[in-house]
Amino acid sequence: MSFAIVPIATLAGILSVAWIGWLGHLELGIHQQWLLSVPLAANSKIVLVTIQKDTPRKLNLQGQGLPLPRRYHAALIDALREAEADALVLDLLFLEESERQQDAALRKALARSQPLHVTLATKEEKSAADPESPTGWKYWFARPVVLPKPLPPNVVVASAKAFDPGRRIDGAVLLQWDEKTKQPIPHLAFSAVLGGFDVSPSDLDFDTVRQQVTAGILAWPVGQDGELHARWTQERFATREYADALKALQGGEGRSFFHDKIVIVGDITTDSQHTPLGEMPGMEAVAHVLNTLLVQATLQGTRWRIPANIVWGGILALVVVAAARTLRPILLIAGVLAALAAALLMPRFAQATWNVWVDTVGPCLAVVIATGMAAVLEGMRAGERARRFAPSHVREARPAALTEVATVLFVDLRGSTAMAEKLGPAAAREVLSELLGRLSNVIVRHGGEVERTLGDGLMAVFRERGGKRLQHHALQCVRAIKDLQHAVAPIDARLGQQHGVGASLTIGIESGVISGAVVRAVDREEWSSFGPTVNLAARLQGACGEVGQCILLGPGAWSSIHHEVPTVFLGTVQLKGIKEPMPVYTLESNFMASSEGSAE
C-alpha cells in the first residue's frame, strides 16, 4: 500500500505547478535563476546599429538634429535587402507623419523589402482590465503611418513592451492582443525570430495551461502573463554606428558583415532602461531578449512536458517511500535529502548540459508530499505494530501497581518430560511452541491475558473489563477451558499416532483479589501478578495429578460460576504451601462435552 503514495504524491506535485498560478510563477523565477547561472554568449547573428548624437553630422545633415529623416531608413532597408540580411528590427516609432516625401520613401522601401523580414515598433494607445484575456488586460496599439497598402507579409508591427517587475527590466512580454484588429502583437525580438521560422503573428496562440506561446509545433515557454525572462550576457553585441553602417552597406564593403544577420536599429540618445546589468539603451535590452530567444533549446520549447516531469517526480517520490519503508530514521532522512538534492540540482545540470528546462517546483513538491504521506502511513503502521506486540499493561495504560479482582488460570502440559525424551529436544521444542501458540490464541479470544509462559505451561489472568461483574471473567475463563481442551486434541492425536506419546492439559483456576505491578529489567518490562489467589491457582494445577482430575477449581472460582456451570465437589484437599485444607471442585463431564469448542 505504501507504494501507492508514489503516483498520488507525484501527480499532486506536478499538476499543482500547472494549475496553481503562483506556483507557475515560482517555477519560472527559479528557472530564470538557473538560466542566469549558465553563461550565455552574445549571438554573432545579432548586430546593433545605433543612432547617436553625432549621427546627423556624419550624414551631413547640417543644422538638423534627431530624429533622422525617414529617407535614410528607406535607404538602410534597401541596402540590408541587397546584403541579404535575415531580419531588420526598427526600434523606432513612426506613429506621426513627417514630410510627405520622407514617408513615401520609407513606405516604398517597406513595400519592396522582401525577402528581408522587417519589424516596426508600436506602443500601447490604451489599456483596460479584462479578466477574460490571457494577461487580464485589454490593449490598443497605435499603427505606424508608414505602412504600405497592402501590407507585405514580411512586414510586422510589434510591441517593445518590457517585463519590468519592481521597475527593473527582467525580460519582455512576448505576446499581446490588439483589441482593434483582434490580432496578436508580438514583441520586437520575438517578431524577428518568427521571421526565421516563416511564422506569421496571426498563427500565434497563448496556451494558458502549459504557459507557453505556440505556433504549430513550435512552443516558447513563458510566464502567466506571457513574459519571458531574458538571459543577460556580459558579452557585447556587434555594434555599428548608423551612418557608418549605411556608408559601408552602400559602398559594398559592408555587405558581407550584415549578410544573414538580424539587425536592430535604435536611438541610444533618448531610450535608457534599468536592467540586471545596469543602465543600457532600450535597443540593447531588445538584443538580450533576442539573444535568449535564439538559444536553440528555447526556440524548440524543450521544457519537459507534464508526462516527463511526472516520471522524474515519480522516481524521486519512490526513493522517499523506499527509504521510509526501512523504518530507520537515518535512512529516511538520507533518502529525503538525496531526493530533494536531485530535484534541485537536476534542472541546473540539464540546463547547462542539454539546454533543457526541467521543472524544480513540481518534483520538490512530489518529494515533500511523499515524505509527509509516507511518514503518516509508517506512523500508523508503527502504531499498529505497537498495539500488536506491546504488553497489555502498556496498551491499556495500566497503573504501575494495581490491586483488583480477577480469575487466575494455570495450564500445564502433562507428560512433557516423556515427550521430550521420545521426540528429542528440537522436535519437542517445536511441539511446545505450537501448543503454547494455540493455547494463547484461545485465551486471548476469550478475553484473557497470557501473563507469562512457564516452560511447558502458562499463566493467564481474566480481568474485570468495562465494569463487568466478577462472574463475567470467571465464566469467560471456564468457557475458555473447553476450547483449550479442543486446541490440544489434534496435537495429542498426532503425537500418539506418530510417537506413541500423549499431550493433555492440567488446569487450576481460582478467583479473588490479586495484586500486580510492573517489573522492570535492564532492557524490558513486564506485568507480574501475585497474591494468595495466584498461589492457590498454581497449587490447584499442581494437585491435579494427586486428585486424579484434569481441572481443579478453588472456592473463589466455584462461588462465581456454580449457579451457571455444573460442578462437582471433590472434597477438601491439603495443598502444598497452604496451611488449611481447601475445598476443591471440578467441572462436570457433561458440561465439558456440551460444547464442541474450536481448536486454534
Side-chain angles (χ1 to χ4, degrees), residues 441-448 462 472 476-477 479-481 483 598:
N441 288 339
V442 170
I443 290 169
V444 171
R445 184 160 52 84
H446 283 273
F462 290 78
H472 171 75
Q476 286 294 92
C477 180
R479 293 188 183 110
I481 292 174
D483 286 349
S598 60

Side-chain angles (χ1 to χ4, degrees), residues 217-282:
I217 63 172
L218 299 174
W220 292 265
V222 294
Q224 190 175 23
D225 295 326
E227 72 272 16
L228 172 78
H229 288 266
R231 293 174 64 179
W232 304 91
T233 177
Q234 297 286 349
E235 296 185 12
R236 304 291 298 178
F237 295 99
T239 304
R240 294 291 184 273
E241 188 274 330
Y242 187 96
D244 294 340
L246 184 58
K247 182 178 179 181
L249 283 165
Q250 291 176 336
E253 68 274 11
R255 291 185 178 181
S256 60
F257 177 79
F258 287 95
H259 178 74
D260 199 33
K261 296 294 195 293
I262 298 177
V263 181
I264 303 176
V265 178
D267 186 344
I268 66 171
T269 64
T270 58
D271 185 13
S272 180
Q273 304 288 350
H274 181 56
T275 73
L277 299 180
E279 295 294 324
M280 69 172 57

Side-chain angles (χ1 to χ4, degrees), residues 9 28 34 38 45 84 107 119 129 145 237 240 263 274 295 367 460 552 568:
L28 189 63
W34 292 132
V38 178
K45 191 177 179 68
E84 297 182 352
R107 191 175 293 113
T119 300
V145 297
F237 295 99
R240 294 291 184 273
V263 181
H274 181 56
V295 176
V367 170
L552 291 180
V568 176

Side-chain angles (χ1 to χ4, degrees), residues 275-438:
T275 73
L277 299 180
E279 295 294 324
M280 69 172 57
M283 64 176 296
E284 191 173 342
V286 172
H288 283 276
V289 175
L290 177 58
N291 195 48
T292 302
L293 287 167
L294 287 176
V295 176
Q296 187 64 21
T298 306
L299 291 177
Q300 298 302 324
T302 53
R303 177 181 183 179
W304 273 9
R305 300 292 180 93
I306 288 178
N309 278 305
I310 286 176
V311 172
W312 172 233
I315 293 173
L316 299 178
L318 183 62
V319 170
V320 172
V321 172
R325 285 178 61 86
T326 65
L327 297 179
R328 297 182 178 180
I330 294 179
L331 291 181
L332 174 59
I333 293 172
V336 173
L337 292 178
L340 284 175
L344 292 171
L345 296 178
M346 177 63 175
R348 172 70 173 84
F349 176 79
Q351 188 67 51
T353 307
W354 307 304
N355 272 331
V356 173
W357 179 353
V358 177
D359 279 13
T360 302
V361 176
C364 283
L365 282 176
V367 170
V368 172
I369 294 171
T371 302
M373 294 181 66
V376 170
L377 181 60
E378 294 305 327
M380 293 171 60
R381 285 181 172 172
E384 179 61 27
R385 283 189 287 269
R387 285 189 291 273
R388 288 178 57 191
F389 298 109
S392 296
H393 71 274
V394 174
R395 295 196 305 268
E396 297 173 4
R398 200 178 298 165
L402 180 66
T403 298
E404 58 185 327
V405 176
T407 297
V408 181
L409 167 71
F410 275 84
V411 181
D412 189 69
L413 176 64
R414 178 185 290 172
S416 59
T417 302
M419 181 183 68
E421 293 176 353
K422 190 74 174 179
L423 275 64
R429 183 174 63 250
E430 292 182 3
V431 172
L432 282 174
S433 178
E434 178 187 359
L435 175 65
L436 291 175
R438 284 171 168 264

